[in-house]
Structure formats: C-alpha cells, structure tokens
Amino acid sequence: MLEFIKQIIYEVAGKDKNKITYDTDFIKDLELTSYDIMNIVCMFEDHFDVSIPSRDVWNLRQVKDVLDYMRAMGITDSDV
C-alpha cells in the first residue's frame, strides 16, 4: 500500500516518489498545502469507495498515519 500512497501523492502534488517514505510528513517534508492533502484524500475515497470525515483528515499528517488509518478501515494491501 505504501507504493500506492506514493503514487497518489506524486499524481496530486508532483512530489518525487523517491523522497516519500513511511515517516514522511506531508507538510514539513513535502510542503503540501491543505488543498493538496484534500485532493489526496479524495483520491483515496474514490479508489477505495470510502468516506473519510474531515475531522479525521487532520490526523493524517504522515504516510504512516494514512497506512494505519486505511488498515483500521479494513483496507489491506490486496485492496490496492
């Protein structure tokens, strides 16, 4: 799923996939805007057919947060 997340970030924000790791912070490391983050969330919602409440979005600060959140929603690597 990490590779999928890296691909989404690349598609939305044009950030280098090689610089994105498990511990990458969206704002500090990649300098993503709130608009970029919302676009990334929308792509996850569309791809996995889920709804991510706005209150949860602001807790998704690092790649690992997204991975943990998706797994908590029951999404696995095989769903990618």
Side-chain angles (χ1 to χ4, degrees):
M1 192 177 317
L2 177 59
E3 289 305 314
F4 177 74
I5 291 171
K6 289 168 71 170
Q7 182 63 34
I8 295 293
I9 293 168
Y10 171 75
E11 288 177 20
V12 170
K15 301 300 179 178
D16 184 358
K17 289 189 288 186
N18 295 323
K19 293 182 179 181
I20 302 169
T21 67
Y22 183 74
D23 293 315
T24 299
D25 185 286
F26 295 130
I27 296 171
K28 291 179 185 174
D29 299 327
L30 299 178
E31 299 176 348
L32 298 183
T33 65
S34 57
Y35 180 76
D36 294 329
I37 293 169
M38 289 307 296
N39 281 333
I40 290 168
V41 168
C42 287
M43 290 190 76
F44 286 127
E45 289 177 324
D46 290 345
H47 183 80
F48 295 112
D49 194 29
V50 296
S51 178
I52 301 172
S54 295
R55 68 180 177 273
D56 292 347
V57 170
W58 305 118
N59 295 322
L60 306 176
R61 298 173 188 256
Q62 295 179 303
V63 172
K64 64 183 170 186
D65 298 333
V66 174
L67 286 167
D68 292 344
Y69 187 84
M70 293 296 170
R71 289 182 180 135
M73 291 183 71
I75 297 169
T76 64
D77 291 337
S78 62
D79 294 322
V80 174

